[in-house]
Amino acid sequence: MSTWFHFHFRLSILVKILIFLRLSKNSLILATDTNDICLTSNGVVTCQKESSVNLTRIDGKKENHIDQVTLADGRHINLHTVSVKPLIIEIQDFLTKEECEYFIQLAKDEGLENSQTYHNKNRKGQVELYDTNRDKKLSVEEMSLTIQGAFDTYLDNSDILQMYKDENIDKNNDEILTPDELKNFSPSKLEKYIKKLLKKHPEKHSRYSQQVWLYPDSSKDPVFKTLQERVSTIVNLPIELIRMSDFQVVTYDIKGHYNAHFDSAMKDKSHRCCTRNIKTKCQGGETAFPVANNDTVDTYEVQNKNLVNLYKNCKDVSLKISPKQGKAIIWYNHFVDTEDGWMGDMDNYTLHGGCPVIRGRKWIANFWIKTTDNKSEDLEKMKRLHKPDILSD
């Protein structure tokens, strides 16, 4: 069985954000004004007014454009623009084979657990019915949407009809449920049925994988430190922001997948952020962007064509990036706000997910570079993380 590690590198300006890098080896510059902030980028400490600190994005220029960056270890890597809507940068050999193996072993040592999703759940004992045409009846398709919304589970029409048969719901077998037929099928019964089904078919859930959280921002591990510096060099943002990031290792076995989703949420001024075809040769497990390069993002079309369900419809997505050991993908979930230089609007084209694994096992690592929409609070956190090295004589 083959094993591959695909480094999944996510940049988001907003709930997860960007970075600078590397600790200074030869100097310590102290701020002379209480409104100054000192940050470390590429081994150089620079102090400036807080109002002058801005987030940045890599300039991908155009599709297939390539920029070269030299890492601290002397390696040259290419930043290949594979898409501009959204901006997606692909980097071959971002991690070495030894680093991939190191993080896989570390994840195993820490203990992998089944991945969970965090979607809007209904109040206990209630399920919102998706009666899209408002005829007070549920078609098979509407029941499927109801189950997706309530349990983050994606069932085929045949699954729905089997449920009707098992629970004796559709009395006249017309594949339409009326209010009378639904009376004896409570939300608790529906939940019990779905849980039982998922035990037999876990791939029906939107996310089928195992994961573990690691913490490079608080670790003294030298491999983590090297990774942080490498990230900072590539995205040209400070190490103090990198240290606010999260690191997640995920593994997908056969049928493992993650249906399309957003990593972040729309910017809302009223609510501040508070949280950080020849299958014999195909491994599957691509990272897919269902609405990339479309003229617009039509949420109705996404729902109507069931583009979110990558477990079933990954083949229909035009932009897919195949996994390869050591490869990294960079994308920004948010734009930079032109007024304060910090977190801006979300990029709706970043809807993405993981296609099902067909052969072997996929390992990925998510490096979440995080910020909020409160610039002053983020800068205060970065100040506390500013700890440049001082060389003694």
Side-chain angles (χ1 to χ4, degrees), residues 197-292:
L197 177 66
L198 288 176
K199 286 184 178 180
K200 292 183 178 179
H201 299 284
E203 73 278 2
K204 299 290 184 180
H205 196 264
S206 72
R207 189 176 189 183
Y208 182 29
S209 62
Q210 289 186 307
Q211 67 178 52
V212 65
W213 287 97
L214 307 175
Y215 298 96
D217 49 337
S218 60
S219 173
K220 296 180 180 178
D221 187 301
V223 182
F224 269 144
K225 182 176 181 293
T226 299
L227 174 60
Q228 288 178 319
E229 292 176 350
R230 189 176 304 161
V231 169
S232 180
T233 297
I234 290 172
V235 298
N236 192 29
L237 286 168
I239 195 69
E240 289 80 6
L241 187 52
I242 291 284
R243 289 172 180 160
M244 294 165 57
S245 64
D246 292 334
F247 189 77
Q248 178 191 44
V249 176
V250 187
T251 183
Y252 299 81
D253 206 343
I254 301 299
K255 295 185 179 180
H257 66 280
Y258 194 176
N259 284 345
H261 59 283
F262 291 107
D263 285 339
S264 192
M266 295 291 184
K267 187 175 180 179
D268 185 350
K269 293 183 179 179
S270 63
H271 294 87
R272 287 289 189 184
C273 298
C274 58
T275 59
R276 307 203 6 197
N277 284 343
I278 303 178
K279 293 187 176 180
T280 56
K281 295 183 179 179
C282 181
Q283 290 179 309
E286 301 92 343
T287 299
F289 294 80
V291 297

Side-chain angles (χ1 to χ4, degrees), residues 3-7 71-77 91-105 222-224 226-227 230 234 247 324-328 363 365:
T3 299
W4 13 291
F5 192 105
H6 176 204
F7 190 85
L71 302 179
D73 61 6
R75 286 196 299 134
H76 302 291
I77 60 172
I91 305 173
Q92 303 289 346
D93 301 319
F94 177 78
L95 291 185
T96 66
K97 179 181 178 181
E98 292 73 21
E99 288 170 334
C100 290
E101 293 173 349
Y102 176 86
F103 286 121
I104 290 174
Q105 188 58 52
V223 182
F224 269 144
T226 299
L227 174 60
R230 189 176 304 161
I234 290 172
F247 189 77
K324 181 181 178 183
Q325 188 178 57
K327 180 194 290 187
W363 290 84

